Amino acid sequence: MKFDELMIVLGEFGKYQKIRFFLICIFSIVSAWHALNMVFVGPDHKFKCDLSEVNLTDTPLGDISQSKKDEIFLPDDEEKMCYQYDVNQTMTSLMAVGYNWSSSVVSNQTDRSMISCKNGYTFSKEIYKSSITSEFNLVCEKKFWRSTAKSIFFGGRLVGALLFGQLSDIFGRRPMFFVGVLLLLLAGTVASMANSMVLFLPMYFLQGAAHTGAFLVSYTLATELVGPRYRVVAGFISQIFYSFGFMTLAGIAYFIRDWRYLEIAITAPAVLFGIYYWYLPESIRWLLTHNKDDMAEKTLMTAAKENGVTLSSDVIKQLKEDPSLQSSGKKYYLFDCVRTWPMARLSLNIWFNWLVNALVYYGLSLNTENLAGSNYLNFCVAGAVEIPAYILCILFLNKVGRRWPLILTMYLGGIACIFSGLIPTNGDPGMETLVVILAMIGKFGITASYSIIYLLAAEIFPTVIRNIGMGVSSMSARIGGILAPIILDLQSVSKPLPLIVFGVLSILAGSLGYLLPETAGKPLPQLPEDVDTGKSCTELLLCCRSKKSDEYDTKEMKEMEDTIRV
């Protein structure tokens, strides 16, 4: 008996699976809270130079408001927020005009020299009460630490994906899930108490590793828990819960505007997953492949009892005959993904698509704070648009295939990004709203394409190197996440530049989708020799020329027939 046949007999999505799958989906929500919390933990916090030491008490200007004081000593230019007017020079000018602060002698900004903020900064509490930006002064010459922290977090995600993937294959899915949750709890708690970036950054790195590792392990458990007909749907439903996590993070951050309390609020629920110790089973497939037959039988019988199914007493013996649960004699390595040019071309195409999808997806998610309007509302909507994207994938991917939806959604996302960056707003609320709408369309498109390339890659790589190929794909996605904050920093060069970069890369990756094979309705390849490697650029060009030639020959033949008739 094959393992998938057993799952059909057991019940592909019975009561046993539904309860455990729902528990795993709950963790997806908490995992999402950590994935993009930097949008609220380290935002672009409004600030200005601290003028508390500028003493006007003994002057006729002693009773002026703070806003008037800012007008005198601070430049009226957002690009010069890191500077103030020289206090001594300004005070001398004020004395010369009898403290008439509105005099052209004082208000003529070009005649006064500017210096870096002498006494530090004060941060607005209108939107954020506290953030690592305000607490550690991550502005001006320290501004790079904000994007660095985001990249370090995604670096942790890269390490977590690599380590937890390997370790879960060795020690099992279940124990590594709990290791990830425990590490997340510890790292998040310590990060919330950090008194400097020296402590915060390594804890943030561990947060990235822990939440990604635990999520990937739980995602694997979810797909191995259900029958073959429900695996794709289960993956998409898990992602929908992830999107719901993004939406609820905006609500949590809206009500908790102190970054330390926010860190605690999204980390503390990890304690509750300790209850899963009594409910979350080990993967039956993993138990069988590691010869833990007694535990596998116990788990199977528990599942059968809850699903109201009776299994034969020798079911384990029958399963051990399944070739998919037995290791083959030949070992396969990463080099096998690129051993031949057709296979290398295919692998590199998939890995590049993963990198671009992750880069654009996380870039657009992190960019919500740069859009007009409320950052909380923009972030919530950016999470909400993901849900219809996943639903459409569930409904149509089996009907229309994978390749063309991938190409079209990447084109949609890319074009929306470019227009979102290029449309001039000039403070017009209507144009600003249009830019936000286009950014959300871009997020919708890239969410759909990200989920499609995940499914497509799993179906393209042959069984013997599927884990290797998907592992490198996941690593490519983490590299894309690391690059996303760096690309967003290009706003300092040109504000629309990051969105244009996202758009161009999305269209380029979508165009490379023409070279990928269609996998819908086809059996999964077992060996590299079985893989449909798609078309090369040369083959595509020859195909186009062949079609034109066929059209020309048909036209010429018709003319000859007409001549003969005459």
Side-chain angles (χ1 to χ4, degrees):
M1 177 186 289
K2 292 186 177 180
F3 186 79
D4 283 348
E5 293 173 352
L6 167 68
M7 295 304 294
I8 295 172
V9 173
L10 182 65
E12 294 188 79
F13 200 52
K15 178 183 176 182
Y16 176 85
Q17 287 96 332
K18 288 175 182 175
I19 294 173
R20 275 77 183 173
F21 179 72
F22 178 74
L23 292 176
I24 291 171
C25 286
I26 294 298
F27 179 75
S28 296
I29 296 175
V30 176
S31 182
W33 291 348
H34 288 269
L36 288 169
N37 67 74
M38 181 53 77
V39 173
F40 304 107
V41 170
D44 186 8
H45 206 146
K46 290 184 179 180
F47 71 99
K48 61 184 179 181
C49 292
D50 184 1
L51 300 177
S52 58
E53 293 192 13
V54 178
N55 188 4
L56 298 176
T57 305
D58 298 328
T59 71
L61 299 177
D63 59 346
I64 65 171
S65 65
Q66 183 61 47
S67 61
K68 298 296 183 182
K69 192 175 182 181
D70 291 345
E71 285 183 32
I72 298 173
F73 293 98
L74 299 180
D76 185 21
D77 187 344
E78 287 189 1
E79 295 183 359
K80 297 178 181 178
M81 296 299 290
C82 297
Y83 301 93
Q84 66 180 68
Y85 290 114
D86 184 274
V87 175
N88 293 330
Q89 184 186 32
T90 303
M91 292 296 289
T92 302
S93 299
L94 283 169
M95 290 176 62
V97 295
Y99 290 98
N100 180 12
W101 67 270
S102 62
S103 171
S104 61
V105 176
V106 178
S107 61
N108 187 355
Q109 300 176 357
T110 58
D111 291 343
R112 290 186 288 164
S113 58
M114 287 190 295
I115 60 173
S116 298
C117 294
K118 190 175 181 180
N119 299 306
Y121 316 95
T122 58
F123 291 84
S124 168
K125 295 188 177 182
E126 180 183 358
I127 300 176
Y128 309 104
K129 182 179 178 181
S130 173
S131 66
I132 63 168
T133 310
S134 62
E135 196 152 326
F136 303 135
N137 290 324
L138 306 184
V139 293
C140 301
E141 69 274 6
K142 292 184 179 180
K143 182 181 179 180
F144 73 94
W145 280 113
R146 287 178 53 235
S147 57
T148 300
K150 295 171 186 175
S151 294
I152 286 174
F153 177 81
F154 282 105
R157 296 191 67 179
L158 169 60
V159 172
L162 293 174
L163 282 181
F164 278 77
Q166 294 292 322
L167 293 176
S168 67
D169 283 341
I170 298 172
F171 299 107
R173 291 31 168 149
R174 187 171 179 271
M176 291 313 301
F177 170 78
F178 290 112
V179 168
V181 170
L182 179 60
L183 183 59
L184 181 64
L185 179 63
L186 293 174
T189 302
V190 176
S192 70
M193 297 185 290
N195 58 2
S196 70
M197 290 297 284
V198 174
L199 178 58
F200 177 81
L201 288 177
M203 291 301 103
Y204 208 49
F205 176 89
L206 289 177
Q207 263 188 276
H211 108 81
T212 300
F215 175 75
L216 289 178
V217 171
S218 66
Y219 187 91
T220 303
L221 262 176
T223 54
E224 292 180 342
L225 188 65
V226 301
R229 283 195 305 136
Y230 289 89
R231 280 177 193 147
V232 173
V233 176
F236 281 121
I237 291 176
S238 179
Q239 292 292 347
I240 288 173
F241 274 85
Y242 204 77
S243 301
F244 183 72
F246 285 159
M247 296 168 63
T248 52
L249 173 61
I252 296 170
Y254 180 82
F255 290 104
I256 304 176
R257 304 201 179 193
D258 184 304
W259 78 272
R260 293 186 184 276
Y261 291 122
L262 178 59
E263 270 285 329
I264 293 172
I266 64 176
T267 300
V271 174
L272 301 176
F273 295 109
I275 301 172
Y276 282 26
Y277 182 85
W278 290 275
Y279 294 97
L280 195 65
E282 181 56 87
S283 164
I284 298 172
R285 182 184 288 271
W286 183 88
L287 290 172
L288 290 171
T289 55
H290 287 75
N291 297 316
K292 298 183 181 294
D293 297 349
D294 292 340
M295 292 180 65
E297 184 174 5
K298 182 179 178 181
T299 304
L300 273 174
M301 293 308 169
T302 302
K305 183 178 179 181
E306 288 194 30
N307 287 351
V309 175
T310 303
L311 298 177
S312 61
S313 57
D314 63 341
V315 63
I316 296 297
K317 182 179 179 182
Q318 294 179 45
L319 282 173
K320 297 297 281 186
E321 298 173 0
D322 183 356
S324 68
L325 300 178
Q326 301 171 9
S327 60
S328 61
K330 183 178 179 180
K331 297 289 185 181
Y332 289 87
Y333 304 94
L334 175 60
F335 182 68
D336 291 292
C337 292
V338 294
R339 184 180 296 276
T340 64
W341 168 239
M343 193 65 207
R345 186 185 69 232
L346 185 65
S347 298
L348 293 172
N349 191 342
I350 292 172
W351 295 336
F352 178 73
N353 258 281
W354 271 70
L355 187 149
V356 172
N357 272 277
L359 170 66
V360 180
Y361 176 86
Y362 288 110
L364 291 176
S365 299
L366 295 171
N367 191 54
T368 53
E369 64 176 336
N370 298 317
L371 299 174
S374 167
N375 184 25
Y376 300 101
L377 179 60
N378 289 339
F379 189 85
C380 182
V381 174
V385 297
E386 294 184 6
I387 295 176
Y390 290 130
I391 292 174
L392 287 175
C393 286
I394 293 172
L395 294 176
F396 292 108
L397 283 187
N398 285 335
K399 296 178 181 178
V400 299
R402 283 67 156 133
R403 190 166 68 102
W404 276 107
L406 173 69
I407 295 168
L408 294 177
T409 51
M410 293 207 74
Y411 278 178
L412 174 65
I415 292 170
C417 282
I418 292 173
F419 276 105
S420 178
L422 291 180
I423 291 178
T425 57
N426 299 322
D428 183 349
M431 299 305 290
E432 289 178 342
T433 302
L434 178 60
V435 167
V436 173
I437 291 173
L438 286 170
M440 296 308 158
I441 292 174
K443 183 70 183 302
F444 170 87
I446 207 67
T447 298
S449 65
Y450 201 175
S451 60
I452 294 169
I453 192 62
Y454 195 107
L455 178 60
L456 189 64
E459 293 175 338
I460 284 177
F461 285 114
T463 301
V464 294
I465 57 172
R466 185 168 295 124
N467 282 343
I468 299 172
M470 292 298 288
V472 178
S473 297
S474 179
M475 183 178 69
S476 301
R478 308 310 160 202
I479 293 172
I482 293 170
L483 294 175
I486 299 172
I487 299 296
L488 285 174
D489 272 356
L490 293 177
Q491 290 181 91
S492 59
V493 178
S494 174
K495 190 167 184 178
L497 187 55
L499 288 170
I500 293 173
V501 171
F502 293 152
V504 170
L505 286 175
S506 184
I507 292 172
L508 174 60
S511 299
L512 290 174
Y514 285 107
L515 306 178
L516 295 174
E518 179 56 72
T519 59
K522 297 181 179 180
L524 294 178
Q526 298 299 313
L527 301 171
E529 297 79 22
D530 302 329
V531 176
D532 178 359
T533 55
K535 295 182 182 295
S536 66
C537 294
T538 305
E539 288 171 330
L540 276 179
L541 290 173
L542 288 175
C543 180
C544 292
R545 290 179 62 184
S546 175
K547 287 181 179 179
K548 290 181 179 179
S549 176
D550 290 344
E551 291 173 2
Y552 176 80
D553 290 344
T554 302
K555 183 179 179 182
E556 188 180 56
M557 182 66 71
K558 189 176 184 301
E559 289 175 352
M560 288 177 63
E561 289 176 352
D562 291 341
T563 303
I564 292 171
R565 288 195 188 99
V566 174

